[in-house]
Amino acid sequence: MRVTSSAHVAAMVSVGVLFAAPAGAETAAEIDAGVEAARDKCAADVPGCETAAEKAQGMLVFPKVTKGAIGVGGSYGEGALIVDDRTAGHYSTAAASIGLQLGGETFSQIIMFMTPQALESFRSSSGWEVGANAKVTMIDQGKAADINAIIAESPVIAFVFGQQGLMGDLSVEGTKITKLDR
């Protein structure tokens, strides 16, 4: 009986990872093109994004994060750190989850470092985890009207936008961000 349970868990984990696994590693040029498009889309479509971007010390831009789950889930995306309007490195974002969940989606995500200390904390870490290394304030349509207060109070804020697909949860808690060699 124990073998069957282990096989079942392994199969569920495999399915969750397959949903979120990257189709293939992107080149630096492909990542950078996607980053520019995502920045433009956020500025055009999401209230408060452009205001926050103008004040940010740096930002992690993930143009396409894929998330999928059947009980066990995962997400993955590749992007870049932008500092002074230049690419300062390429990164991946990954997360895993377990629970009552089913579905799949893609979305774009921008994490903005609003203070020099928040940016330096990110850059000096070997692997940055949302929740462990920093609390991130999520911005949604309802909060965007008060963006200046959020910027003043939050050293790290995140915008999630461009959702396609059907999945119940959009959060960055438990996400691990790792530097890529590109």
Side-chain angles (χ1 to χ4, degrees), residues 14-169:
S14 297
V15 169
V17 171
L18 283 175
F19 274 125
E26 295 186 57
T27 67
E30 290 169 330
I31 292 171
D32 292 342
V35 164
E36 191 61 35
R39 289 176 67 187
D40 291 345
K41 183 164 180 52
C42 190
D45 295 350
V46 182
C49 184
E50 189 169 23
T51 300
E54 290 170 358
K55 297 178 180 183
Q57 302 295 306
M59 65 181 82
L60 274 171
V61 182
F62 296 102
K64 183 179 180 183
V65 179
T66 302
K67 183 175 184 178
I70 298 177
V72 174
S75 66
Y76 183 84
E78 294 181 346
L81 175 65
I82 306 299
V83 178
D84 297 324
D85 278 329
R86 292 173 82 154
T87 300
H90 294 96
Y91 292 82
S92 67
T93 178
S97 59
I98 188 165
L100 294 174
Q101 51 189 340
L102 175 66
E105 71 180 341
T106 62
F107 54 90
S108 298
Q109 178 179 29
I110 298 179
I111 299 172
M112 296 185 190
F113 302 97
M114 305 311 295
T115 65
Q117 296 83 4
L119 177 60
E120 180 55 34
S121 175
F122 170 75
R123 293 179 98 176
S124 65
S125 68
S126 59
W128 197 72
E129 281 188 58
V130 176
N133 297 105
K135 296 293 181 201
V136 176
T137 301
M138 294 292 297
I139 304 295
D140 61 26
Q141 298 289 336
K143 290 183 181 177
D146 199 17
I147 193 68
N148 289 320
I150 293 168
I151 291 169
E153 296 171 4
S154 305
V156 183
I157 60 177
F159 292 87
V160 176
F161 56 98
Q163 295 92 334
Q164 294 181 345
L166 186 58
M167 186 82 190
D169 175 44

